[in-house]
Amino acid sequence: MGAGAALPGREPGRPGSPGPGGFRGGAQEALWRYGELIGLTSGYRDPATQAALSAEEVRRSGSVAAARRWTLPPDESRHVAGTALDIRPSEGARWLERHGARYGLYRRYDNEWWHFEYCPEGRPDRLPHPGVAAAVTCGRADGAVPMDRS
């Protein structure tokens, strides 16, 4: 499955739940094996919803550049692609950050503890915020594929 592929059990561009290899598998293991609850705040977003979120953040922050620190337009959002999840509570996100590699789920941004992306190729480069252009969507800019055994 390539970097642009949707989470297992999802069709790109269509709402639905990630399959057992993605969020559900991690959430089930977190609860049953570790007693940690992980909730899904947001996953797939249609382009109109993402556009509205982006426009609201531009209005709130005063500029497109400032807004891009927190939200991206639909053509750049991994939520629209069906490969991003926003997790709650913070304890669940911390668990997923430690164990998510088993499911191809990785925290992507320093400023968003809740945002994880499906990257079956391995741990992506961590970026300061969504507005920083990544050299690659998933995986690492240096081409290395880390063997993550967490």
Side-chain angles (χ1 to χ4, degrees), residues 57-135:
E57 187 59 28
V58 169
R59 186 200 63 71
R60 189 192 70 72
S61 65
S63 74
V64 171
R68 289 177 61 82
R69 293 184 62 80
W70 299 103
T71 188
L72 295 173
D75 60 324
E76 297 177 53
S77 172
R78 301 314 306 156
H79 284 284
V80 173
T83 59
L85 302 168
D86 290 343
I87 302 301
R88 67 177 192 285
S90 58
E91 295 83 7
R94 280 194 297 273
W95 184 92
L96 194 58
E97 191 166 0
R98 286 190 311 274
H99 302 283
R102 295 178 195 159
Y103 308 97
L105 296 170
Y106 300 94
R107 181 174 163 201
R108 191 67 196 264
Y109 305 119
D110 289 336
N111 73 328
E112 294 187 354
W113 58 262
W114 57 86
H115 182 93
F116 290 79
E117 294 184 10
Y118 179 64
C119 295
E121 292 85 5
R123 183 176 305 281
D125 293 330
R126 178 77 73 85
L127 304 173
H129 58 80
V132 174

Side-chain angles (χ1 to χ4, degrees), residues 14-30:
R14 293 186 44 102
S17 300
F23 173 73
R24 264 194 268 157
Q28 288 171 351
E29 179 183 8

